[in-house]
Amino acid sequence: MAFEKAKVIKAAEKFLSQGKITAAIKEYRQIIAHDADDLTALNMLGDLLARAGEKEEASTCFLRIAEHYRDQEFRLKAIAMYRKIDKLKPRDPTTSQQLASLYAAQGLIADARTQYLVVADAHTRAGDSKQALEVLHKIADLDPQNTEIRLKLATGYVKEKMRPEAARAYLEAAKRLFENSQFEKALEAYTKALELSPQSRAALKGLVSAHAAVGTAEDAAELLEKALVDVPGDAELLSLLAQAYLDAEDPAGAERATALLLAEDASNHRRYIEVAQVYLKLGQEADAARILGLIIEPMLAGREESDLLELVNELLARDPEQVASLRLLARIHWWQRDMVKLRAVLERLAESAEASELIEEERYALTQLVRLAPDEPRYLERLDLLGGSLEEHFVEQAGVIETPAETVAADYESFAIVDESKPAGAVESPSSTSEFEWNSVAEDMPARAEVSFADLNETPGDSEFDVFAGAPAADPFAIDPGASNAGEAGAADRVEPKQDGAGNQSALMHQELESVDFYINQGYSDIAVDTLELLEKQFGSHPEIDSRRQRLQAGHAVAPGDNSHASPQPLTVGPVAAPEAEATMDFSFGEVEITEPASVAPTPSLLSGIDSGLAEIFEEFRLEAEEESAPQEDFETHFNMATAYKEMELLDESIREFQLAAGLIAPTDGTARYFQCCNMLGQCFVEKGMPGAAVLWFKKGLGAPGRSAEEYKALQYELGSAYEAMGELKRAVAALTEVYGVDVDYRDIGEKLAGLQSRVTNEASSKESE
């Protein structure tokens, strides 16, 4: 025989109306057996089983619903179901673990902490301190700024011989301490983390930074020197070592570490800039010039002459006659093709060399000046006194040049450091035997400032001091013209990875938007606006979000109680017979008893099974949980839970949560929260078929200050409808007449009022005839 679901539902409702719970359970079991996805029937079965005392089976029903909502990421609905399980099985660690995760995801930190403490308590009582510590770590993650708790956790991990976990806790605490400028404490925490995990680069880097912050960078350098014994070629450690020496203002150590670093990776040549700056800071100008001589060629090749020029000018500002610095300045001007400045600096170089009795340096400067200005006899005369040019073959070539002007022109035109039409780094061949052999960067130069300037014409690798010796003939530091665009090209060609959860994210947003529609349909603009803001933060801008904002701005929100645009609602089972109904409310004489907010049972002090230090952590978390259970957070929690229950048509649970929320606030608190609770409670009682209770809450809402004209009309309309359901037709007419008086076009007010007035007249006529 085919299963007829409608008939079984009807039979179950009949048994419920007669108070026959066992018979109703049997019918609902049939429904679930044939339709396991009917969550409404499954929830009703769970409720009936709970009333019949079958708590385990009832919990199983609720668990199936909770897991469904959790997997669909309807967290509030999942929380609602897990809380039903928690009432049947108080302090169950499995349920508390799920609730804690869901609360944390919703940002309800105090509630999450309370549930995590239940889980930690269970592990402690079972003698599993390690698992208790893991749960405490999750509690600490709820408040990342609480470094003291993390340090206590780390100590607990050490006592339990959980070294990796302890190192992680120390490292996390150290990072927070460093960010808060608590450098001494950060140094101590980083040290402990490194002791527990010697291979941790994060701990090592943090320790170096902390040492630098407290002014003990030399200790960090000593530590790094020891670490490099095992991995002498580690570029990362060498970089840290160089930085540590720089922070300690030890330029000799920084120079040595940087040289080792360049041996591993020549692209780090800019690190020498910092070394030169420290030498300069300490007043060691000669060493600063020497360091700049090591990197002048790769920096010029990288078109970084401005950085070089700044340092060289600072050197010359301190000592205008320093020969090494003048040689560097001449090389820069030569690179820049600035013949005027080049001649000026060569003259200064010649004068300084003469004053310092550096004959070879003076001869070189004069040789270059003769090449630049052959019509200036004083250069040649002084050069002859010193023994002639350093490069006699230039004298033979000079006969080719007809005039000084042509010489300078030829020199300037032939001074092509890098041919823009060719790849950077290509070696440029001489264009004519009559042209000067300028020291182009296309020819790798020795990088030593103390060598004669003429030595720049030497072949790469001739000097034992050349750190770039052995480089290929093509300039190893030339910049590839396409390199600057490489990143852009790579970005353009790169295919973005597919987002595996894109479809799921879209579905989630659509589901959340349905909740927004519910809020709009109920007239709760504030909640709708807040939810849209949260959705935008989570999913970004979206046309569906914008369209709902436009509805709200245009005042298109549907009045509370008007469900004409809402989705069809699932089956609502009527009130259960009195003998087995839960007596949560007293409707005698039209009054409703508002339940006071339930207080969270205090977590017992967790002293057994763990040491006093960890017990102190438990106690601190417990106190924080109690302190942070503020009314504001509690109101939001209860109101949101009530809304979720209502969406699932769990009206009893929804009413209870709305009552708790209403009890936490005052009607005159300056917000619309009390009004919203009154309206939603009235709606719930209407759906439960209890118009008398609905009237009570609608009246409370109408008496609350701060409501808008639209909200007043909507609630007055609902009040009239509730009076109609009670059979109080005259009161219904009075309420609806008030709405009609301010807005004749409001919903179906004209037709509804006319119908009621007709019924009142007919009843009056009937009474008169009797």
Side-chain angles (χ1 to χ4, degrees):
M1 183 177 179
F3 175 73
E4 296 185 30
K5 186 175 181 179
K7 288 185 177 180
V8 177
I9 291 174
K10 188 174 182 180
E13 291 176 347
K14 180 179 178 181
F15 287 133
L16 280 175
S17 65
Q18 297 171 352
K20 299 178 180 179
I21 303 301
T22 303
I25 289 174
K26 182 178 179 181
E27 299 300 321
Y28 276 109
R29 279 178 173 157
Q30 283 192 63
I31 296 172
I32 301 305
H34 288 85
D35 186 0
D37 295 328
D38 189 336
L39 300 183
T40 302
L42 186 60
N43 180 69
M44 179 57 72
L45 176 60
D47 285 338
L48 295 175
L49 288 167
R51 294 182 182 183
E54 301 291 339
K55 293 185 177 181
E56 280 298 327
E57 191 176 353
S59 297
T60 302
C61 294
F62 296 144
L63 180 61
R64 286 175 56 186
I65 303 172
E67 290 175 344
H68 169 79
Y69 286 131
R70 182 199 63 198
D71 295 341
Q72 298 296 319
E73 296 192 19
F74 287 117
R75 296 190 187 98
L76 285 175
K77 293 180 179 180
I79 289 171
M81 298 312 300
Y82 277 118
R83 285 180 61 176
K84 293 183 75 169
I85 300 172
D86 187 52
K87 290 179 182 178
L88 295 174
K89 300 165 64 177
R91 300 183 66 79
D92 175 61
T94 303
T95 304
S96 293
Q97 177 69 52
Q98 294 297 328
L99 276 170
S101 299
L102 290 166
Y103 279 133
Q106 285 297 112
L108 301 171
I109 304 304
D111 293 306
R113 182 184 288 113
T114 300
Q115 295 300 326
Y116 274 133
L117 284 172
V118 172
V119 180
D121 182 28
H123 287 309
T124 303
R125 294 179 186 281
D128 193 346
S129 297
K130 292 183 178 181
Q131 286 298 319
L133 282 167
E134 286 298 324
V135 176
L136 288 176
H137 201 120
K138 292 180 180 180
I139 298 176
D141 288 339
L142 297 173
D143 184 9
Q145 298 301 325
N146 194 333
T147 53
E148 293 302 319
I149 290 296
R150 289 193 182 278
L151 291 173
K152 291 178 182 177
L153 277 174
T155 302
Y157 281 131
V158 171
K159 291 180 179 179
E160 292 294 330
K161 296 182 172 54
M162 300 170 66
R163 293 175 64 88
E165 292 81 1
R168 188 174 77 246
Y170 276 126
L171 186 59
E172 290 169 350
K175 288 178 180 177
R176 297 295 179 185
L177 289 167
F178 191 89
E179 290 172 358
N180 295 328
S181 299
Q182 296 178 268
F183 301 124
E184 291 285 354
K185 290 185 177 181
L187 179 61
E188 184 180 352
Y190 276 127
T191 301
K192 291 181 178 179
L194 192 61
E195 289 173 354
L196 291 165
S197 181
Q199 305 304 317
S200 172
R201 288 297 171 91
L204 185 59
K205 289 179 181 179
L207 185 59
V208 171
S209 299
H211 271 301
V214 300
T216 56
E218 62 278 2
D219 293 338
E222 182 180 350
L223 188 68
L224 289 165
E225 292 280 14
K226 293 178 180 178
L228 279 164
V229 172
D230 297 326
V231 281
D234 192 298
E236 186 177 20
L237 289 182
L238 287 170
S239 179
L240 287 173
L241 179 62
Q243 188 59 52
Y245 278 125
L246 288 169
D247 293 333
E249 294 189 352
D250 181 353
E255 181 181 351
R256 179 174 56 81
T258 303
L260 292 172
L261 178 61
L262 262 67
E264 300 297 327
D265 183 1
S267 66
N268 285 294
H269 63 268
R270 280 193 61 89
R271 297 298 294 269
Y272 270 127
I273 289 284
E274 298 174 83
V275 178
Q277 289 171 333
V278 175
Y279 272 128
L280 198 57
K281 181 179 180 180
L282 298 177
Q284 301 177 34
E285 288 83 5
D287 286 314
R290 176 177 56 80
I291 292 298
L292 293 180
L294 293 173
I295 56 172
I296 187 169
E297 296 307 322
M299 289 197 70
L300 290 176
R303 303 190 183 280
E304 299 169 309
E305 65 270 21
S306 59
D307 294 338
L308 273 172
L309 193 58
E310 181 180 350
L311 283 170
V312 170
N313 285 336
E314 187 173 350
L315 282 168
L316 289 171
R318 297 188 181 196
D319 184 1
E321 306 303 323
Q322 189 190 55
V323 172
S325 299
L326 289 170
R327 283 201 307 266
L328 292 169
L329 186 59
R331 181 68 184 97
I332 295 171
H333 290 325
W334 203 342
W335 169 269
Q336 294 174 331
R337 308 180 188 183
D338 192 332
M339 297 301 110
V340 175
K341 289 183 178 179
L342 177 60
R343 180 174 176 178
V345 75
L346 286 172
E347 288 179 344
R348 289 175 61 187
L349 177 59
E351 292 172 1
S352 297
E354 181 181 0
S356 302
E357 298 183 354
L358 299 174
I359 296 175
E360 294 303 311
E361 297 294 340
E362 185 182 0
R363 288 179 66 193
Y364 181 78
L366 290 169
T367 300
Q368 302 303 326
L369 285 168
V370 167
R371 293 165 64 190
L372 280 173
D375 57 341
E376 188 67 52
R378 59 190 178 93
Y379 298 149
L380 194 54
E381 290 172 3
R382 177 62 182 169
L383 190 58
D384 289 341
L385 288 175
L386 295 174
S389 170
L390 290 176
E391 302 169 358
E392 292 296 335
H393 61 281
F394 284 128
V395 176
E396 297 176 4
Q397 296 172 0
V400 181
I401 304 173
E402 297 180 359
T403 66
E406 290 175 355
T407 300
V408 176
D411 292 345
Y412 188 84
E413 292 300 326
S414 64
F415 186 65
I417 302 302
V418 178
D419 188 343
E420 301 295 339
S421 65
K422 297 181 180 180
V427 179
E428 192 73 9
S429 60
S431 60
S432 169
T433 57
S434 67
E435 295 172 346
F436 291 113
E437 296 181 3
W438 299 96
N439 292 324
S440 167
V441 75
E443 303 174 23
D444 290 334
M445 305 301 173
R448 285 182 60 231
E450 70 270 21
V451 180
S452 169
F453 195 53
D455 291 344
L456 291 175
N457 289 319
E458 289 181 354
T459 304
D462 289 348
S463 171
E464 61 178 318
F465 300 100
D466 186 8
V467 296
F468 304 112
D475 186 2
F477 308 104
I479 306 301
D480 185 351
S484 62
N485 298 325
E488 295 175 8
D493 297 335
R494 183 169 59 249
V495 178
E496 293 294 334
K498 290 180 66 177
Q499 301 295 325
D500 296 336
N504 188 38
Q505 290 292 319
S506 177
L508 288 175
M509 186 180 72
H510 179 71
Q511 292 166 347
E512 293 296 335
L513 286 171
E514 289 180 353
S515 296
V516 174
D517 291 336
F518 170 79
Y519 297 140
I520 294 176
N521 288 337
Q522 295 300 318
Y524 292 107
S525 302
D526 292 344
I527 302 176
V529 169
D530 292 341
T531 305
L532 288 173
E533 288 179 358
L534 291 173
L535 289 176
E536 194 169 57
K537 289 179 182 178
Q538 183 175 359
F539 300 104
S541 298
H542 195 279
E544 291 291 330
I545 295 175
D546 294 337
S547 67
R548 283 159 177 81
R549 279 209 178 102
Q550 291 170 4
R551 285 179 60 191
L552 289 166
Q553 292 171 357
H556 186 64
V558 183
D562 182 5
N563 295 323
S564 59
H565 300 288
S567 302
Q569 299 296 318
L571 171 68
T572 301
V573 180
V576 181
E580 302 209 24
E582 280 188 14
T584 58
M585 302 173 200
D586 180 13
F587 296 109
S588 58
F589 307 107
E591 294 294 333
V592 178
E593 180 184 354
I594 300 177
T595 308
E596 291 294 324
S599 59
V600 179
T603 304
S605 180
L606 309 177
L607 299 175
S608 59
I610 57 176
D611 62 40
S612 58
L614 293 185
E616 181 183 349
I617 301 174
F618 274 99
E619 187 66 14
E620 187 167 341
F621 279 143
R622 184 184 66 79
L623 292 174
E624 287 183 3
E626 292 178 357
E627 291 172 0
E628 292 184 10
S629 297
Q632 173 69 21
E633 184 177 18
D634 283 345
F635 171 82
E636 296 297 336
T637 301
H638 288 302
F639 189 89
N640 291 337
M641 289 302 305
T643 304
Y645 279 132
K646 190 174 187 302
E647 289 178 356
M648 293 185 289
E649 292 205 348
L650 304 176
L651 296 177
D652 288 336
E653 290 84 354
S654 181
I655 289 170
R656 186 178 300 110
E657 292 296 327
F658 278 130
Q659 286 179 334
L660 290 171
L664 290 170
I665 53 175
T668 58
D669 71 345
T671 70
R673 295 183 300 173
Y674 185 78
F675 171 83
Q676 292 167 352
C677 288
C678 293
N679 181 36
M680 295 301 283
L681 280 165
Q683 297 286 338
C684 289
F685 282 122
V686 167
E687 291 183 33
K688 277 185 67 69
M690 297 179 169
V695 165
L696 172 68
W697 283 104
F698 287 144
K699 282 184 175 181
K700 287 178 180 288
L702 288 170
R707 47 181 171 64
S708 66
E710 286 298 317
E711 289 171 334
Y712 179 85
K713 285 190 296 184
L715 212 57
Q716 191 73 24
Y717 182 94
E718 296 299 333
L719 176 63
S721 299
Y723 276 133
E724 181 185 6
M726 291 176 64
E728 298 282 348
L729 300 185
K730 290 184 178 180
R731 290 184 177 181
V733 169
L736 295 175
T737 299
E738 191 168 341
V739 178
Y740 187 81
V742 295
D743 188 353
V744 296
D745 294 323
Y746 186 77
R747 292 162 69 171
D748 61 344
I749 188 66
E751 181 181 349
K752 190 177 186 69
L753 185 57
L756 284 171
Q757 288 173 334
S758 176
R759 290 172 59 187
V760 169
T761 302
N762 291 338
E763 284 187 3
S765 300
S766 298
K767 289 181 180 180
E768 288 177 1
S769 62
E770 291 176 358

